[in-house]
Amino acid sequence: MHRFIQKKARNFEGLSNKFIISLSIIALISFLLAFFYIPIVRIFQTALSSDSGSGFKVFWETLSDPFNLKFLGFTLLQASLSTVLCLLIGLPVGYFFAKYEFKGRKLIVNLLTIPFVLPPVIVLIGFTVTYGQGGWVNLLWQNITNSSNVLITIDGTVQGIVLAHVFYNLSVIIRLTIPAWRNIDNEQIEVSSTLGVGKGKTFQKIVFPQIKNAIISSSLLVFIYTFNSFAIVMKLGNFNFYTLEVLIYESFDLLKFSEGASLAVIQLVINSLVIILYLVVERKSRKMAEGKEKGLKTARLSFKGKDWKSTVSLSLAIVFVFIVILFSFAPIIAIIVKSFIPKSPGDSPFWGYSQIFTQQKITPLNTNTIRLFGNTLLFATVAAVISLILSVLIVFVLRNRYQSIKKYQRSISESLVSYLIILPMATSSITLGLGLYLNFSGLSSYYNSVWIFIIMSHVLISIPFVTRSILVAYNRIDVELLNVASSLGASRVMVFRKIEFPLIKRGIIVGGIFSFAISLGEFGATYLLARANYETLSIGIYNLLGSQTLQISTAMASVLVLITALCFYLINKFGDIELKV
Amino acid sequence: MVNVKINNLSMKYEKKLIIENFELEILDGELLVLLGASGCGKTSLLKIIAGIIDPEEGTVIFDKEDITKYTPQKRKVGYVPQAQVLFPHMKVEQNISFGLEAHKLSKEEIKERIKWIAEITQIQDLLNRFPSEISGGQKQRVALARALAIKPSLLLLDEPLSSIDASGRESLALTIRRIQKETGITTLYVTHNQEESRLISDRVALMYDGKIQQIGSVIEVDRTPRNYLIAKIMGSSNVWPVEFLETKNGNSLVSTPVGLITLPYEIKRKITGIRIPPSSFKIVYDLSEDDKVIEFIGRIKSIIEKDEENFRIVVDLKDAHLEYFKVDCKKEMLNIESATNKEIQLHVLPSEVILI
């Protein structure tokens, strides 16, 4: 009898782990199939079949269309240009913040990251207020030069697009290279110099190989973000310039689904290649950082005891960093200041705010602003909850180290999940939206349930970031903790509840807020899917961009900035933001 | 408690067998030290016994019950891994009660059990602290208390002293020894350090090449090591391997790294090494020839004070590069000021040479 009970208990424990994992795998695969893979298959289907019959005809026609080819080239070019510029500015700034210790260093690095989490429409409106035709920079220039010439044109120019992309992505380079700079072992540099090697050669042979992978992987990230840029190019491109993402949307808007789908296929292929390359380099750079204890020798930011040469170069560095900080904050400050400037003298500075918190509908908006706020917050909350649940399941399946150590090998279904989550990372938001539209628009209830698909698109976009936040926390857990816990008699559920969960709690909080912030500002997929009553703040602000007064849109944007900044503050309080996917 | 038998156990790691046809018996209530070099498979063995990893082959038997297929939860084994992994987010008290809650003890029972084990392991003052607030030695005692609180039938300790600083090691080792004797729990203690086995073991088992090579009390193993390697692992001084052996006319010629040694009898069995205890040497200053003794010439390299009356000196051998003897001698034999680097002659009676 005793043995019987033991055996039964043993089976139960083994089964309960298997059961939980199997359930997680089934839940994940069903979600991915329903809201991602089947819609993606629909895109391929639409691309490769058309009413006119022959399968590949539209696909080839789209692919060989000189207009499309030209802008495929432009998409690649602007992404490369933006990446190189981000590198040129971001690398030295990253080094500066890695090398020098001073009061407020961490705060500034954190603040520099804010642009990255801002919604793209905020960037647009901030840029319009700062660098636009009647923007502050140009007004200042006209005052100084006493002429009507403008200093910079961002509408319909490449410089406008690239400048906005640099503003948006600079923090990726800065933040991801700081740890790489800090990881360089100073003693290696010292040994190199005692061996008689010069500074240049030391950099080439000792320093550069150690930061190379971090540079490549952060560059690939910037490349992929700018390659898939939508709102910025749609607005600033002003029908002169398109990215693939905008072209896909335009085709969709003109109901040319086959063309749009064909372009989406091309985009997906390019994205996948870059993402795979990124994952390979990322793994290498992570290996490089492992097991290092000593790091770069940091210095206090001070002019004391420096000769004139060092004083000048340090001053130049500070000026450079200061300009970058100004560049990164100016558009945000401009939005907030602009929202309080009265339309005409004597008006209330709060006019814009009073307008957005009334029930009345503001032309050209499709719905009142209270509804926009409500939608935005509701979608973001629901999307965050779903993303969290799915991400915890993903982490659970990927890190099923508990007892899987017995096998030394991941089961096929676990590996399957780890591969299945790569493709969503490589899918742009317009493509996600298009796939959902193509797959579900046939449903009779589609227009009333479109909010579900908007939320699902937000979930798919934020899952890589949320998963990453939780994984980072999970990877810090020592497997032996779980071994000890189970040898002390704890069941699978108890190990999760009492050990794993408390230790990844911060990662979960960070991931949840991050997902909320992403959903808050998501533009592409929402713009494609949303109809009237289901629009969000981002869409509202975008629709107001063309109107005469920017007061209402800047007021809306200021509120969005405030909420985003609050999210960002909370993320920093509970952990660290993950810019990586 | 429990008698543990491990039969015919094999385990692969990255396709290589690191434990092969392994046999071991741990007697009820004893503290068995498993001594082996790093990477010889000791930790894997512990994990197999704890149920954390599955063996390729073989069985683990507690008394008469085959528990090979049991999950860790059902084995009731107290497992203390090498790094003292305490649950970082729980106070010491919660760390200990974790296993008790898992075993569904009532609140009163848990309280009582914690009081009992905290007293035995002397951690009463630490109960309200977090693991980050206590020292390495204290952590190890807490880990021990946590494992013992569930009253396991077997205690597994993986290098428990490895992360403790030198000064605290001996006292912690003796604490472990005392707790083990007080609780009477069968214990398998894994280490690569032979000093620890001398301090606390009932028996010591020497492991290499995936197997137990010799098992017995430390004194037994010291006196009759089965081969040269075991003597070396046990840390005996002045042990050398035998390169070849020739017997002729009632004499044996033994070739070792310290030179050819002639012994006045015929060796009939296979030998792997020789040992000369440090106390077997006699220091001779004026070089002389004596047929009845084995002679070595060397220079004194360093002098260590052993106690009030004795020195231990290290002698660099003249004829064997890089080999040296450890020699015990009375203090009056040496003039400590002028002894270093002095050339001396060492005499050993052939009967003092121990064959391994």
Side-chain angles (χ1 to χ4, degrees):
Chain A
M1 185 62 196
H2 172 67
R3 284 205 54 158
F4 176 72
I5 293 169
Q6 285 266 23
K7 204 164 181 183
K8 219 175 143 189
R10 173 197 108 211
N11 286 340
F12 175 74
E13 184 51 36
L15 278 178
S16 87
N17 185 46
K18 269 202 191 116
F19 180 71
I20 293 168
I21 293 300
S22 315
L23 215 62
S24 312
I25 291 173
I26 290 169
L28 285 171
I29 292 182
S30 330
F31 173 82
L32 286 173
L33 274 182
F35 295 106
F36 182 75
Y37 279 96
I38 292 175
I40 290 294
V41 169
R42 257 325 248 271
I43 288 181
F44 275 82
Q45 230 178 16
T46 313
L48 301 178
S49 69
S50 61
D51 303 334
S52 54
S54 106
F56 284 91
K57 198 165 157 254
V58 176
F59 185 72
W60 286 124
E61 271 174 16
T62 313
L63 199 68
S64 50
D65 183 346
F67 183 81
N68 290 340
L69 280 178
K70 179 182 161 194
F71 287 109
L72 169 63
F74 172 74
T75 311
L76 291 165
L77 184 79
Q78 62 80 23
S80 313
L81 206 61
S82 306
T83 308
V84 169
L85 258 175
C86 278
L87 271 181
L88 285 179
I89 303 171
L91 272 183
V93 176
Y95 179 75
F96 182 87
F97 284 111
K99 171 86 184 168
Y100 293 107
E101 287 287 0
F102 53 92
K103 230 179 166 180
R105 187 192 80 94
K106 210 176 164 222
L107 180 75
I108 294 176
V109 173
N110 280 335
L111 289 176
L112 278 176
T113 317
I114 287 188
F116 180 78
V117 288
L118 283 179
V121 283
I122 301 287
V123 179
L124 274 177
I125 197 165
F127 260 60
T128 311
V129 177
T130 318
Y131 306 107
Q133 201 69 35
W136 294 355
V137 169
N138 283 327
L139 283 180
L140 192 71
W141 179 256
Q142 284 163 348
N143 271 331
I144 294 171
T145 57
N146 216 352
S147 69
S148 57
N149 295 335
V150 292
L151 177 70
I152 182 171
T153 310
I154 56 165
D155 263 324
T157 63
V158 181
Q159 56 181 345
I161 293 171
V162 171
L163 201 64
H165 284 167
V166 172
F167 169 79
Y168 215 170
N169 293 292
L170 191 55
S171 57
V172 176
I173 304 282
I174 296 177
R175 262 198 107 115
L176 297 189
T177 52
I178 289 177
W181 286 118
R182 284 234 150 162
N183 248 326
I184 294 166
D185 187 346
N186 197 56
E187 284 183 0
Q188 290 179 10
I189 299 173
E190 286 167 2
V191 167
S192 171
S193 64
T194 59
L195 290 171
V197 180
K199 273 189 176 173
K201 199 90 181 160
T202 300
F203 182 84
Q204 185 198 339
K205 294 271 181 187
I206 309 289
V207 178
F208 185 69
Q210 297 189 47
I211 53 167
K212 188 180 70 188
N213 287 326
I215 293 176
I216 296 174
S217 70
S218 55
S219 305
L220 287 172
L221 275 187
V222 173
F223 184 86
I224 207 134
Y225 293 145
T226 48
F227 182 77
N228 293 296
S229 179
F230 177 63
I232 287 168
V233 181
M234 191 159 75
K235 185 73 181 69
L236 298 182
N238 209 2
F239 304 110
N240 285 338
F241 297 103
Y242 301 88
T243 49
L244 267 188
E245 190 82 338
V246 180
L247 286 179
I248 297 168
Y249 177 78
E250 297 284 332
S251 312
F252 162 82
D253 207 29
L254 299 168
L255 306 179
K256 291 181 184 167
F257 295 138
S258 292
E259 276 185 28
S262 303
L263 292 169
V265 168
I266 297 163
Q267 190 199 35
L268 194 62
V269 170
I270 297 175
N271 278 344
S272 303
L273 292 176
V274 181
I275 279 286
I276 289 167
L277 189 63
Y278 163 76
L279 291 174
V280 171
V281 180
E282 233 286 297
R283 182 165 299 174
K284 269 196 205 161
S285 75
R286 222 180 319 145
K287 275 209 178 127
M288 197 125 205
E290 267 170 21
K292 275 197 184 168
E293 283 171 16
K294 293 202 176 97
L296 188 72
K297 196 166 84 189
T298 56
R300 283 193 58 82
L301 189 62
S302 153
F303 289 103
K304 249 183 226 162
K306 284 210 155 65
D307 56 23
W308 70 269
K309 248 164 120 183
S310 325
T311 308
V312 168
S313 58
L314 183 60
S315 310
L316 285 176
I318 292 173
V319 169
F320 180 69
V321 170
F322 183 74
I323 292 172
V324 171
I325 293 173
L326 199 66
F327 170 70
S328 297
F329 295 158
I332 306 172
I333 296 166
I335 291 172
I336 296 168
V337 173
K338 181 81 182 176
S339 73
F340 289 109
I341 295 179
K343 210 169 25 161
S344 47
D347 280 358
S348 157
F350 301 105
W351 181 79
Y353 291 91
S354 71
Q355 289 297 301
I356 59 174
F357 291 111
T358 55
Q359 289 285 345
Q360 75 189 70
K361 218 172 91 176
I362 302 160
T363 40
L365 296 185
N366 298 317
T367 182
N368 71 52
T369 40
I370 304 261
R371 176 91 197 219
L372 291 181
F373 272 105
N375 284 346
T376 307
L377 295 176
L378 186 71
F379 293 172
T381 309
V382 179
V385 171
I386 299 176
S387 308
L388 270 186
I389 296 172
L390 293 171
S391 300
V392 169
L393 291 184
I394 291 172
V395 172
F396 218 53
V397 171
L398 291 188
R399 288 288 178 274
N400 185 26
R401 295 186 290 188
Y402 174 92
Q403 293 194 347
S404 75
I405 191 169
K406 286 182 166 188
K407 288 179 267 167
Y408 290 109
Q409 235 177 6
R410 260 201 220 158
S411 73
I412 296 167
S413 49
E414 283 165 40
S415 315
L416 187 68
V417 168
S418 73
Y419 289 115
L420 281 180
I421 54 175
I422 294 179
L423 200 58
M425 286 189 227
T427 309
S428 73
S429 63
I430 289 294
T431 304
L432 278 177
L434 182 65
L436 288 168
Y437 177 83
L438 291 176
N439 195 45
F440 292 105
S441 61
L443 297 176
S444 59
S445 57
Y446 175 75
Y447 285 98
N448 288 323
S449 51
V450 76
W451 57 275
I452 298 178
F453 306 111
I454 295 175
I455 291 175
M456 288 309 160
S457 67
H458 293 186
V459 168
L460 283 163
I461 291 167
S462 56
I463 275 184
F465 295 96
V466 183
T467 304
R468 176 114 196 157
S469 301
I470 302 175
L471 258 185
V472 167
Y474 199 98
N475 286 344
R476 289 199 200 107
I477 301 178
D478 188 341
V479 200
E480 286 281 37
L481 279 182
L482 312 181
N483 291 338
V484 168
S486 44
S487 81
L488 286 169
S491 66
R492 180 72 193 99
V493 178
M494 184 174 175
V495 172
F496 178 72
R497 202 164 51 85
K498 293 216 137 187
I499 314 287
E500 290 167 304
F501 181 74
L503 292 175
I504 57 170
K505 205 167 62 190
R506 277 167 173 269
I508 290 178
I509 294 173
V510 166
I513 302 170
F514 202 8
S515 166
F516 184 86
I518 289 172
S519 169
L520 211 58
E522 204 287 321
F523 184 76
T526 319
Y527 191 67
L528 188 142
L529 290 169
R531 294 289 168 272
N533 279 335
Y534 298 114
E535 288 183 348
T536 59
L537 267 184
S538 282
I539 312 295
I541 296 170
Y542 189 82
N543 288 338
L544 282 174
L545 273 180
S547 61
Q548 278 302 309
T549 166
L550 282 174
Q551 237 186 326
I552 297 175
S553 50
T554 47
M556 283 160 78
S558 298
V559 178
L560 205 50
V561 167
L562 195 74
I563 304 175
T564 311
L566 187 70
C567 290
F568 186 72
Y569 168 77
L570 289 175
I571 289 174
N572 268 307
K573 204 178 153 190
F574 285 105
D576 216 351
I577 195 155
E578 287 299 331
L579 307 188
K580 301 177 188 173
V581 287
Chain B
M1 303 299 125
V2 75
N3 175 293
V4 180
K5 260 195 192 134
I6 295 160
N7 295 325
N8 195 30
L9 198 79
S10 296
M11 225 268 321
K12 268 184 195 165
Y13 183 72
E14 287 174 355
K15 291 181 183 165
K16 215 181 121 202
L17 271 174
I18 50 165
I19 297 175
E20 206 178 344
N21 304 328
F22 185 93
E23 305 275 340
L24 179 66
E25 182 174 5
I26 311 168
L27 304 175
D28 194 348
E30 80 167 333
L31 193 161
L32 178 73
V33 170
L34 182 67
L35 187 62
S38 308
C40 78
K42 295 171 303 195
T43 300
S44 301
L45 179 71
L46 285 196
K47 288 189 173 170
I48 290 173
I49 299 174
I52 294 157
I53 49 179
D54 282 343
E56 299 286 319
E57 236 182 292
T59 50
V60 180
I61 297 178
F62 282 11
D63 286 337
K64 276 174 188 154
E65 194 174 354
D66 182 353
I67 58 136
T68 320
K69 294 261 158 67
Y70 284 11
T71 61
Q73 284 85 353
K74 299 300 156 199
R75 294 190 183 206
K76 264 210 155 183
V77 164
Y79 171 55
V80 183
Q82 182 166 12
Q84 315 102 350
V85 279
L86 300 179
F87 306 130
H89 56 298
M90 296 182 190
K91 287 183 175 172
V92 167
E93 186 168 2
Q94 293 164 312
N95 261 281
I96 301 173
S97 69
F98 181 85
L100 303 172
E101 285 163 35
H103 281 89
K104 308 244 163 28
L105 265 66
S106 73
K107 277 206 172 122
E108 289 74 46
E109 286 174 300
I110 290 177
K111 232 176 168 178
E112 211 140 283
R113 203 62 88 73
I114 292 176
K115 194 171 166 253
W116 165 75
I117 198 64
E119 210 176 287
I120 293 180
T121 51
Q122 295 166 315
I123 53 166
Q124 296 102 317
D125 301 339
L126 309 176
L127 291 176
N128 263 319
R129 294 208 214 154
F130 280 102
S132 55
E133 300 165 344
I134 61 179
S135 74
Q138 291 171 328
K139 276 184 197 154
Q140 196 57 264
R141 287 215 299 267
V142 174
L144 208 58
R146 182 177 63 184
L148 289 170
I150 61 167
K151 297 201 170 159
S153 38
L154 173 70
L155 180 64
L156 301 174
L157 301 172
D158 192 357
E159 304 254 2
L161 307 183
S162 64
S163 52
I164 311 295
D165 52 48
S167 60
R169 262 183 218 172
E170 196 174 291
S171 87
L172 185 60
L174 294 171
T175 307
I176 292 174
R177 173 74 181 163
R178 174 180 59 75
I179 295 170
Q180 195 268 336
K181 284 298 148 211
E182 267 175 48
T183 54
I185 292 173
T186 314
T187 302
L188 180 59
Y189 179 118
V190 153
T191 180
H192 66 271
N193 182 343
Q194 44 87 18
E195 293 291 340
E196 290 172 28
S197 62
R198 286 176 198 283
L199 266 176
I200 67 171
S201 70
D202 290 318
R203 288 196 303 157
V204 59
L206 289 107
M207 176 175 179
Y208 59 84
D209 292 341
K211 284 194 180 81
I212 297 294
Q213 304 288 342
Q214 190 170 3
I215 186 165
S217 72
V218 173
I219 296 169
E220 275 167 33
V221 178
D222 265 344
R223 277 197 193 138
T224 52
R226 192 171 285 168
N227 59 39
Y228 159 74
L229 209 57
I230 288 174
K232 200 83 190 159
I233 293 171
M234 287 306 287
S236 306
S237 305
N238 306 339
V239 191
W240 289 278
V242 169
E243 284 147 3
F244 68 84
L245 168 73
E246 219 178 280
T247 48
K248 222 195 255 167
N249 313 329
N251 285 329
S252 300
L253 205 58
V254 182
S255 164
T256 72
V258 287
L260 273 177
I261 295 170
T262 311
L263 298 171
Y265 50 86
E266 276 191 26
I267 301 171
K268 294 262 165 61
R269 65 182 176 98
K270 188 179 180 302
I271 59 167
T272 56
I274 59 157
R275 181 160 82 92
I276 308 172
S279 55
S280 305
F281 293 95
K282 198 179 142 213
I283 298 177
V284 181
Y285 286 100
D286 19 279
L287 303 185
S288 61
E289 295 260 332
D290 187 344
D291 277 354
K292 294 203 178 69
V293 298
I294 307 164
E295 297 167 353
F296 299 100
I297 297 168
R299 277 180 198 281
I300 299 175
K301 280 296 153 195
S302 55
I303 305 165
I304 304 153
E305 189 165 17
K306 256 187 99 180
D307 51 44
E308 297 282 299
E309 292 171 0
N310 296 294
F311 282 133
R312 168 163 289 188
I313 58 175
V314 177
V315 179
D316 213 355
L317 276 192
K318 193 179 175 187
D319 297 327
H321 187 52
L322 290 178
E323 297 292 341
Y324 56 85
F325 286 133
K326 286 180 181 160
V327 176
D328 286 347
C329 66
K330 293 268 176 233
K331 280 190 176 171
E332 58 260 27
M333 291 292 298
L334 279 184
N335 177 359
I336 191 156
E337 271 84 36
S338 61
T340 309
N341 254 336
K342 198 171 194 142
E343 190 165 280
I344 54 167
Q345 197 169 11
L346 295 169
H347 285 183
V348 179
L349 289 172
S351 57
E352 300 268 355
V353 176
I354 300 167
L355 303 176
I356 304 169

